[in-house]
Amino acid sequence: MANAVDFYFDFSSPYGYFASNKIDALAQKYGREAKWRPFLLGVAFKTTGGVPLPTIPVKGPYALRDIVRTAKYLSVTYRHPSVFPISSVSACRAFYWLDAKEPKRAKDLARALYRAYFNDNLDISSADNVVAVGAKSGLNADELRAGIGDQ
């Protein structure tokens, strides 16, 4: 895809969730397409010595206020998950498995996973929950489970 906008995100990131609601329209506004590229923020933290925002004194509680404020500003529905942050390995694997076959449907799955986590409070670190979201989106549950299991 020529002139694509690379959109890197983690399924556990509220800011990634907010951006996922805006990135395609922004890319289209400039005659481009967004190429969605989930990655594992936890691995990036381990590599760089960083830590998840919620674990940082003072910054963590402030970030939660900022997240709620940002959702309101962007008119994006948001419910802070009861389990936060989470591992997003299963969600990433599901996305890349589907993206290799049907990139548009992979974006739809990513949106559904984000909604499940940040609206419905579904812990998408569980492969079973990722499969359930995918099946609700019309994907074959057995094939999706196999895709998640394929490193």
Side-chain angles (χ1 to χ4, degrees), residues 17-59:
Y17 165 62
F18 300 148
S20 76
N21 284 274
K22 307 292 181 182
I23 190 65
D24 286 317
L26 181 64
Q28 187 175 28
K29 178 180 175 179
Y30 294 99
R32 300 173 78 179
E33 186 174 345
K35 176 68 177 163
W36 290 38
R37 299 182 182 275
F39 74 103
L40 301 175
L41 193 53
V43 173
F45 286 147
K46 284 183 183 179
T47 303
T48 63
V51 295
L53 194 55
T55 66
I56 302 171
V58 182
K59 274 188 173 182

Side-chain angles (χ1 to χ4, degrees), residues 54-71:
T55 66
I56 302 171
V58 182
K59 274 188 173 182
Y62 178 81
L64 181 54
R65 286 182 40 214
D66 183 60
I67 289 165
V68 171
R69 184 174 51 225
T70 301

Side-chain angles (χ1 to χ4, degrees), residues 59-90:
K59 274 188 173 182
Y62 178 81
L64 181 54
R65 286 182 40 214
D66 183 60
I67 289 165
V68 171
R69 184 174 51 225
T70 301
K72 185 176 180 178
Y73 175 76
L74 295 174
S75 299
V76 174
T77 58
Y78 179 83
R79 176 180 174 195
H80 193 71
S82 56
V83 179
F84 178 79
I86 58 166
S87 166
S88 59
V89 172
S90 292

Side-chain angles (χ1 to χ4, degrees), residues 56-139:
I56 302 171
V58 182
K59 274 188 173 182
Y62 178 81
L64 181 54
R65 286 182 40 214
D66 183 60
I67 289 165
V68 171
R69 184 174 51 225
T70 301
K72 185 176 180 178
Y73 175 76
L74 295 174
S75 299
V76 174
T77 58
Y78 179 83
R79 176 180 174 195
H80 193 71
S82 56
V83 179
F84 178 79
I86 58 166
S87 166
S88 59
V89 172
S90 292
C92 278
R93 287 183 179 175
F95 176 90
Y96 280 116
W97 167 79
L98 187 55
D99 189 55
K101 302 183 324 178
E102 300 178 67
K104 183 184 178 326
R105 286 190 77 192
K107 285 184 183 183
D108 292 341
L109 175 62
R111 287 184 191 96
L113 288 166
Y114 262 141
R115 279 190 308 275
Y117 186 50
F118 289 114
N119 287 274
D120 303 331
N121 196 30
L122 183 69
D123 181 356
I124 61 168
S125 67
S126 157
D128 289 339
N129 287 344
V130 171
V131 169
V133 170
K136 200 183 281 188
S137 299
L139 298 173

Side-chain angles (χ1 to χ4, degrees), residues 4 6 8 27 73 125 127 129 142 144:
D6 289 320
Y8 291 92
Y73 175 76
S125 67
N129 287 344
D142 293 331
L144 181 56

